Amino acid sequence: KDAPTRWELNAGALDDIESLSTLIVVGDLVFIGGGKRDGSSGKLFVIDAKDGTIRQRMATPARVTECGIAAGNGTIAVCCEDGTILVFE
């Protein structure tokens, strides 16, 4: 039996981002990263895992790389295609 969908977001809700490249779930938050396919700009979204509310949108200097989000010890690290690494607490 299929499980019911808790919530759903589409590209329009995510600022019509061209490419979503990575996501990670940390506690009650979902972090989704991506950007322009040519790598020239990126975005990181922080979403409430319970109801799909977008809590925060952040521009990144380049597209977030494939598998480019890591979490541990209260820290989120984001790697961008231009080599920038952003770290948040």
Side-chain angles (χ1 to χ4, degrees), residues 35-75:
K36 290 194 175 246
R37 286 189 179 93
D38 67 5
S40 63
S41 66
K43 290 228 176 162
L44 178 68
F45 299 90
V46 182
I47 300 166
D48 189 303
K50 292 179 182 176
D51 63 12
T53 300
I54 298 173
R55 292 209 183 158
Q56 194 167 4
R57 292 171 162 83
M58 293 174 267
T60 59
R63 181 176 175 265
V64 178
T65 62
E66 304 286 331
C67 303
I69 303 175
N73 297 322
T75 300

Side-chain angles (χ1 to χ4, degrees), residues 3-22:
T5 301
R6 181 179 292 181
W7 51 266
E8 180 178 323
L9 293 174
N10 59 30
L14 297 173
D15 301 341
D16 289 319
I17 195 165
E18 289 181 10
S19 173
L20 297 174
S21 54
T22 187

